Amino acid sequence: MPLKSLNVFTIFSMLGFTFLILFISGFLDFPSVSNSIIQPINQQPTSSGPESGPDPFTNLISAFRKWDSQVGCARFKEKQIGFVSVQSNGSSSLQKVGGESELECRELKMKHVSVLVKGWTWIPDNLDNLYSCRCGLSCLWTKSSVLADKPDALFFETTTPPLQRRSGDPLRVYMDLEAGRKRSGVDDIFISYHAKDDVQATYAGALFHNGRNYHVSFSKNNDTLVYWSSSRCLPQRNRLAKQLLSLLPHHSFGKCLNNVGGLDMALSLYPECANDASVTPKWWDHLHCAMSHYKFVLAIENTATESYVTEKLFYALDAGAVPIYFGAPNVWDLVPPHSIIDGSKFNSLEDLASYIKSLANDPVAYAEYHAWRRCGVLGNYGKTRAVSLDTLPCRLCEAVSRKGGRNAKAS
């Protein structure tokens, strides 16, 4: 039997009143708009420590101790679970490093490979060595035509390989680590920084560190926050650097926007960075040491290209500074979790500068940018280093072995 209209109205009125009472008393809670939106993993977070006033710290170790007491590695690891899992789910930005399974080892057609480096190359001489690689493969990498008189492959970087390769000739290897990734057109194996090419070689790793002063300062400048050094004054990069640095106290070394009175002023400011008093220093000898005195290092790539993440960023990480980065859109695929300030994530340079100034006065929040190293939360960074120039000899020798070296089909 249908209800009378008065009864229906009464029932709905009572339900509405009950609902209102529950909402006001807090039993029902609707999420706010800001809480209901999923925050991007790479968004720059706020301080992990308690609310407090500015603390313009200079001692990095003291900042670490405050972070340990207020946050700690256990909480940091929990916070980064989502980021690390996203990185680990088959990122296409990095080539897979082979294991020693029977199937993978069976692909190798040679047990020993020799690579002869031809002409000038950025790769330093200290890479020359005899390497023991996976699956029992040995790899000779050398610039000596005496040690490798019958090489299985010829390596070129700044010179063009032979136009033709006849049967029995060495394979032609060409490397271009610049943003353009230009093949020679006559190579059998191509090396670049990108995972899509034959062999990947990232800029991470320690290869270029030999012979440099690696004194890392525990004391950080608080009056001068940012280190910047560039001697290739590209208009677009210079414009961006000038705009940002005008908002922040900084030291600009190098030829571009220099504000320290000369190109070699780093040693005047930081005499402990001198490697050997009897040798005339080169600017790169004290690069990392000078960087380590600053809380932040501005790192702007020549061009914003996928996977093109160069030493500009990795030097800053190695020096114990926090990079302010502008460059590769997929940079988070190649760096440790919460290790850099991604300039592209801010609405304006003014917002970025404000964040940097705030971070410089918050030892707990600043220390969290170093937690990846102290807590061993590397994410994809371990893989980035595994395919760096440091490991290139073995990985190239494996590629040569898979093709059969001199026995490969002529091209």
Side-chain angles (χ1 to χ4, degrees), residues 133-184:
C133 308
R134 69 187 186 96
C135 300
L137 175 69
S138 56
C139 172
L140 176 64
W141 177 289
T142 181
K143 294 181 178 178
S144 169
S145 58
V146 175
L147 298 180
D149 61 309
K150 290 186 66 178
D152 301 293
L154 300 175
F155 178 96
F156 302 87
E157 183 180 4
T158 56
T159 54
T160 305
L163 297 180
Q164 289 186 328
R165 177 185 168 270
R166 296 166 298 186
S167 180
D169 285 348
L171 291 174
R172 299 161 298 178
V173 179
Y174 185 72
M175 183 174 81
D176 182 10
L177 297 183
E178 294 299 324
R181 294 164 55 210
K182 295 179 181 178
R183 299 191 73 133
S184 67

Side-chain angles (χ1 to χ4, degrees), residues 92-250:
S92 60
S93 299
L94 295 165
Q95 289 182 350
K96 180 183 176 183
V97 178
E100 294 202 39
S101 68
E102 183 178 346
L103 181 62
E104 289 175 307
C105 292
R106 205 181 300 156
E107 294 176 349
L108 302 181
K109 300 175 181 178
M110 308 164 64
K111 284 295 184 182
H112 177 76
V113 171
S114 59
V115 176
L116 178 61
V117 178
K118 301 287 286 184
W120 188 87
T121 171
W122 282 103
I123 297 177
D125 295 344
N126 56 25
L127 197 66
D128 283 26
N129 206 347
L130 178 62
Y131 297 86
S132 296
C133 308
R134 69 187 186 96
C135 300
L137 175 69
S138 56
C139 172
L140 176 64
W141 177 289
T142 181
K143 294 181 178 178
S144 169
S145 58
V146 175
L147 298 180
D149 61 309
K150 290 186 66 178
D152 301 293
L154 300 175
F155 178 96
F156 302 87
E157 183 180 4
T158 56
T159 54
T160 305
L163 297 180
Q164 289 186 328
R165 177 185 168 270
R166 296 166 298 186
S167 180
D169 285 348
L171 291 174
R172 299 161 298 178
V173 179
Y174 185 72
M175 183 174 81
D176 182 10
L177 297 183
E178 294 299 324
R181 294 164 55 210
K182 295 179 181 178
R183 299 191 73 133
S184 67
V186 290
D187 46 75
D188 303 295
I189 298 174
F190 180 57
I191 302 170
S192 85
Y193 60 86
H194 204 285
K196 290 182 179 178
D197 293 315
D198 298 326
V199 180
Q200 185 178 22
T202 67
Y203 283 82
L207 183 63
F208 290 107
H209 298 177
N210 290 14
R212 295 185 178 177
N213 185 335
Y214 251 69
H215 169 80
V216 174
S217 175
F218 70 88
S219 180
K220 295 288 187 181
N221 291 335
N222 202 61
D223 296 327
T224 309
L225 297 180
V226 182
Y227 173 103
W228 158 252
S229 178
S230 177
S231 292
R232 187 180 175 192
C233 305
L234 301 176
Q236 186 174 355
R237 180 167 60 187
N238 252 28
R239 196 177 310 115
L240 174 57
K242 187 175 183 179
Q243 289 173 349
L244 179 60
L245 294 176
S246 68
L247 305 170
L248 294 163
H250 67 281

Side-chain angles (χ1 to χ4, degrees), residues 230-280:
S230 177
S231 292
R232 187 180 175 192
C233 305
L234 301 176
Q236 186 174 355
R237 180 167 60 187
N238 252 28
R239 196 177 310 115
L240 174 57
K242 187 175 183 179
Q243 289 173 349
L244 179 60
L245 294 176
S246 68
L247 305 170
L248 294 163
H250 67 281
H251 278 161
S252 179
F253 299 87
K255 295 178 182 178
C256 310
L257 309 177
N258 188 289
N259 71 343
V260 292
L263 298 181
D264 290 315
M265 291 302 293
L267 290 181
S268 298
L269 293 171
Y270 311 109
E272 68 272 21
C273 293
N275 243 356
D276 187 341
S278 64
V279 178
T280 302

Side-chain angles (χ1 to χ4, degrees), residues 180-399:
R181 294 164 55 210
K182 295 179 181 178
R183 299 191 73 133
S184 67
V186 290
D187 46 75
D188 303 295
I189 298 174
F190 180 57
I191 302 170
S192 85
Y193 60 86
H194 204 285
K196 290 182 179 178
D197 293 315
D198 298 326
V199 180
Q200 185 178 22
T202 67
Y203 283 82
L207 183 63
F208 290 107
H209 298 177
N210 290 14
R212 295 185 178 177
N213 185 335
Y214 251 69
H215 169 80
V216 174
S217 175
F218 70 88
S219 180
K220 295 288 187 181
N221 291 335
N222 202 61
D223 296 327
T224 309
L225 297 180
V226 182
Y227 173 103
W228 158 252
S229 178
S230 177
S231 292
R232 187 180 175 192
C233 305
L234 301 176
Q236 186 174 355
R237 180 167 60 187
N238 252 28
R239 196 177 310 115
L240 174 57
K242 187 175 183 179
Q243 289 173 349
L244 179 60
L245 294 176
S246 68
L247 305 170
L248 294 163
H250 67 281
H251 278 161
S252 179
F253 299 87
K255 295 178 182 178
C256 310
L257 309 177
N258 188 289
N259 71 343
V260 292
L263 298 181
D264 290 315
M265 291 302 293
L267 290 181
S268 298
L269 293 171
Y270 311 109
E272 68 272 21
C273 293
N275 243 356
D276 187 341
S278 64
V279 178
T280 302
K282 298 180 177 63
W283 66 269
W284 56 79
D285 292 336
H286 51 266
L287 179 70
H288 296 81
C289 177
M291 277 185 183
S292 73
H293 291 79
Y294 298 83
K295 292 180 180 179
F296 307 97
V297 169
L298 179 58
I300 308 175
E301 302 291 6
N302 299 348
T303 179
T305 301
E306 182 184 79
S307 297
Y308 185 61
V309 182
T310 69
E311 76 286 349
K312 298 174 185 65
L313 182 150
F314 296 118
Y315 282 174
L317 289 181
D318 292 340
V322 175
I324 306 164
Y325 184 74
F326 291 89
N330 63 331
V331 62
W332 287 105
D333 288 344
L334 290 91
V335 298
H338 197 64
S339 60
I340 71 171
I341 298 172
D342 186 349
S344 70
K345 301 301 181 185
F346 291 82
N347 293 326
S348 67
L349 293 181
E350 288 75 14
D351 286 350
L352 173 58
S354 177
Y355 178 77
I356 291 167
K357 290 176 182 177
S358 175
L359 193 61
N361 288 324
D362 188 336
V364 175
Y366 181 83
E368 186 141 325
Y369 278 87
H370 298 268
W372 65 269
R373 184 191 299 107
R374 300 180 66 235
C375 301
V377 183
L378 301 185
N380 265 2
Y381 187 50
K383 297 176 184 178
T384 306
R385 293 186 70 114
V387 292
S388 71
L389 286 170
D390 292 1
T391 64
L392 179 59
C394 276
R395 292 184 296 111
L396 175 57
C397 282
E398 289 170 14

